[in-house]
């Protein structure tokens, strides 16, 4: 069965520093991969998605992620953190296969803290 | 594009009463909508998948008689929490899939339910 592991429930970076949020997936078939961001008491906003095209995916707010099949990873990065990036980030997997059952499978989430 | 709204954004009700939450796709048609529940500091838990014109599919452990889901049109799904109890207090989030899109879901802003 498919699963998503986000390493690090909390990540703290200084403003202007590199942001790296880790996501590894487990799937027997090619997945579609997503990163979502959630601000307190709000729903989730789609940051970016990988759907078997380019392995380096650019999203909104300066974020990008690279799909690495050999490492079964889809880590999220941003070159320079901004205070407004402080939020919770969720990695998720889905795809056009019966294995996914038409659903998104979410990781546990990573809370990003940005220090001034 | 791909905006999902929820109403109400928060609600307080007394134990034993029922509460209805609406989820609308504002600028697209959604044959499939999803209902999630999120506990504090946790990831999203899928409760059910709602397909327009048919019965909802509930996840294991979710009481279908307690959480009534209706997807009457391509832009509206409702979740009714019947005979609410304090343990039903939670953050409920709906999402919708764009017809023909690559499996990403667009999320509503969430509804905070407090049962007293």
């Amino acid at each position: 069965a498919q699963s998503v592991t986000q390493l690090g429930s909390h990540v703290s970076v200084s403003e202007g520093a590199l942001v790296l949020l880790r996501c590894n997936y487990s799937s027997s078939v090619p997945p579609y991969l997503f990163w979502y961001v959630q601000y307190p008491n709000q729903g989730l906003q789609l940051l970016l998605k990988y759907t078997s095209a380019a392995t380096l995916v650019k999203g909104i707010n300066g974020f990008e992620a690279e799909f690495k099949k050999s490492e079964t990873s889809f880590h999220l990065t941003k070159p320079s953190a901004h205070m407004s990036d402080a939020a919770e980030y969720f990695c998720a997997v889905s795809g056009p296969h019966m294995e996914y059952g038409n659903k998104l499978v979410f990781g546990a989430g990573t809370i990003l803290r940005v220090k001034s | 594009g791909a905006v999902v709204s929820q109403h109400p954004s928060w609600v307080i009700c007394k134990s034993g009463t029922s509460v209805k939450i609406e989820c609308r796709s504002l600028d697209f048609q959604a044959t499939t909508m999803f209902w999630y529940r999120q506990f504090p500091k946790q990831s999203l838990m899928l409760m059910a998948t709602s397909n327009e014109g048919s019965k909802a599919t509930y996840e294991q452990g979710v009481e279908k008689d307690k959480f009534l889901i209706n997807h009457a049109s391509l832009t509206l799904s409702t979740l009714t929490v019947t005979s609410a109890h304090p343990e039903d207090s939670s953050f409920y989030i709906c999402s919708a899939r764009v017809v023909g899109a690559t499996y990403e879901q667009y999320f509503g802003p969430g509804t905070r339910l407090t049962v007293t």
Side-chain angles (χ1 to χ4, degrees), chain A residues 36-46 90, chain B residues 2-11 21-26 28 33-38 44 75 77 90-96 105-113:
Chain A
Y36 286 87
V37 61
Q38 184 180 33
Y39 296 97
N41 296 309
Q42 295 187 27
L44 276 66
Q45 181 183 14
L46 180 65
F90 292 95
Chain B
V3 178
V4 177
S5 70
Q6 275 184 248
H7 179 80
S9 55
W10 60 271
V11 57
I21 302 170
E22 291 187 349
C23 177
R24 292 181 184 273
S25 56
L26 297 185
F28 66 100
M33 288 183 169
F34 304 84
W35 286 95
Y36 295 85
R37 185 173 179 178
Q38 187 177 33
L44 283 73
T75 59
S77 177
S90 192
F91 193 53
Y92 293 88
I93 307 175
C94 73
S95 70
Q105 296 175 18
Y106 293 90
F107 287 79
T111 296
R112 175 74 59 190
L113 170 63

Side-chain angles (χ1 to χ4, degrees), chain A residues 23-108:
Chain A
C23 173
N24 288 87
Y25 68 91
S26 171
S27 174
S28 61
V29 295
Y32 291 168
L33 293 155
F34 308 87
W35 275 100
Y36 286 87
V37 61
Q38 184 180 33
Y39 296 97
N41 296 309
Q42 295 187 27
L44 276 66
Q45 181 183 14
L46 180 65
L47 277 178
L48 48 79
K49 62 182 180 183
Y50 166 75
T51 57
S52 72
T55 56
L56 181 61
V57 181
K58 294 188 183 297
I60 62 172
N61 302 338
F63 284 94
E64 63 182 37
E66 185 172 9
F67 172 67
K68 292 187 176 181
K69 184 178 179 180
S70 61
E71 299 177 8
T72 60
S73 69
F74 190 58
H75 302 331
L76 181 71
T77 60
K78 182 174 180 178
S80 177
H82 193 271
M83 297 296 289
S84 60
D85 295 327
E88 187 160 18
Y89 293 79
F90 292 95
C91 182
V93 62
S94 187
H97 301 282
M98 291 296 291
E99 173 173 322
Y100 298 106
N102 198 35
K103 306 171 191 174
L104 277 175
V105 175
F106 285 93

Side-chain angles (χ1 to χ4, degrees), chain B:
Chain B
V3 178
V4 177
S5 70
Q6 275 184 248
H7 179 80
S9 55
W10 60 271
V11 57
I12 301 172
C13 70
K14 293 191 175 185
S15 190
T17 62
S18 295
V19 174
K20 180 184 284 188
I21 302 170
E22 291 187 349
C23 177
R24 292 181 184 273
S25 56
L26 297 185
D27 53 0
F28 66 100
Q29 293 184 329
T31 54
T32 306
M33 288 183 169
F34 304 84
W35 286 95
Y36 295 85
R37 185 173 179 178
Q38 187 177 33
F39 293 101
K41 303 187 188 303
Q42 294 188 29
S43 188
L44 283 73
M45 181 191 81
L46 179 64
M47 299 175 66
T49 302
S50 167
N51 291 296
E52 187 264 337
S54 63
K55 291 184 178 181
T57 302
Y58 291 81
E59 294 298 301
Q60 192 171 10
V62 177
E63 299 176 61
K64 57 184 68 176
D65 293 333
K66 181 165 189 60
F67 298 100
L68 300 179
I69 292 172
N70 183 270
H71 193 157
S73 76
L74 288 172
T75 59
L76 174 65
S77 177
T78 60
L79 168 68
T80 301
V81 183
T82 62
S83 186
H85 290 283
E87 56 266 31
D88 299 325
S89 299
S90 192
F91 193 53
Y92 293 88
I93 307 175
C94 73
S95 70
R97 263 187 57 193
V98 179
V99 175
T102 48
Y103 288 81
E104 68 263 32
Q105 296 175 18
Y106 293 90
F107 287 79
T111 296
R112 175 74 59 190
L113 170 63
T114 302
V115 184
T116 61

